[in-house]
Amino acid sequence: MGEYIDEYIDFLKEKKMSDNTVDAYSRDLKRFSSFLIERNENILKINVITLMAFTQELKKKGKANSSIARNIVSIRNFYKYLIRKNIIHEEPTINYEMPKIQHNIPEILTVEEVDRLLSSPDLINNKGIRDKAMLELMYAAGLKVNELLSLTIFDVNLKLSYIKCVGTKNKERIIPIGSYAVKYINKYLAVRNEINIYNLDLLFLNLHGTKMTRQGFWKTIKYYAKKSGINKTINSYTLRHSFAVHLLENGADIKSVQEMLGHNDLGSTQIYSTIVKKSKIAEVYKKAHPRA
């Protein structure tokens, strides 16, 4: 049973999928394999009933619908691979209805709140200068955390005010950045050699001179969120979400925002349009209703 999963994981690695994606597929499929072993079922002979039972098992363990849906997608793609390899001839998951996912609207900062957050780093030391450059760039370009932390010095063109970012499935995109980001990246580059003791090409480094982790960046965001006194739930993606909404509020077209965010599906970008529309409706109501 396990050899089919191992072969599939090797196949994903050959396709140059990200480590995070491969790890997620591996975890999902091994969880499913363990479930089948407990039920004494053959991985090549499952049916919709098996998937329904697996879904119920995940629900009992408190898994969210989004997590369950990801598990089912992993299983479905695995069986599509088995069909292409002529190991099976019918796709057992085809008639299974995916659980509906409730899309939570992300927390968005106002422009004033962004200013407060980005003004929090203390520029009297290298850490503060680095943190200021990171936050300015994340808001300027709407980057994911992994994208920000994977940038190299060769990905930044300050003369022409843009960065080159490699996102999901190694898809490269060019993103313009504003004068604030350019200014503070320049300030950071002036002190970066003092941090870069191992002569690495990565743009942003931790204070030990190595690559900053997602956890390290999260601690940084959490610290400055508390320092700035913003009474909202702020996470590592808040600046990315705020970037998208602020662009749309100021007249950017949704296709351009989609391209800058690196979304393959326009539907992923449209949630930000929903936020903008709700905000405009609330504004109209406050201005027009006599008892608003």
Side-chain angles (χ1 to χ4, degrees), residues 100-211:
K100 292 182 179 179
I101 302 173
Q102 182 178 359
H103 293 286
N104 296 322
I105 295 177
E107 192 88 80
I108 303 300
L109 301 181
T110 65
V111 174
E112 185 269 335
E113 287 169 336
V114 169
D115 286 340
R116 281 161 55 193
L117 180 64
L118 270 55
S119 297
S120 295
D122 194 336
L123 301 182
I124 64 171
N125 55 47
N126 290 348
K127 181 183 184 303
I129 294 170
R130 179 206 64 187
D131 294 348
K132 172 72 169 174
M134 283 198 303
L135 295 178
E136 287 286 355
L137 181 55
M138 187 170 224
Y139 178 62
L143 298 174
K144 294 180 181 177
V145 180
N146 281 343
E147 293 170 345
L148 178 75
L149 300 182
S150 297
L151 287 173
T152 72
I153 55 173
F154 306 110
D155 295 326
V156 181
N157 189 320
L158 297 180
K159 287 184 178 179
L160 298 179
S161 301
Y162 73 82
I163 63 166
K164 180 176 66 176
C165 173
V166 179
T168 307
K169 296 184 179 179
N170 292 323
K171 186 178 178 182
E172 184 179 287
R173 64 189 194 274
I174 303 297
I175 311 171
I177 57 175
S179 58
Y180 282 85
V182 170
K183 175 182 176 180
Y184 288 104
I185 292 171
N186 265 320
K187 285 182 179 291
Y188 166 65
L189 291 176
V191 301
R192 179 176 167 275
N193 284 342
E194 297 174 27
I195 303 173
N196 191 20
I197 56 177
Y198 298 111
N199 197 31
L200 300 179
D201 290 335
L202 288 168
L203 178 60
F204 295 113
L205 303 163
N206 62 30
L207 298 182
H208 300 293
T210 58
K211 183 176 181 178

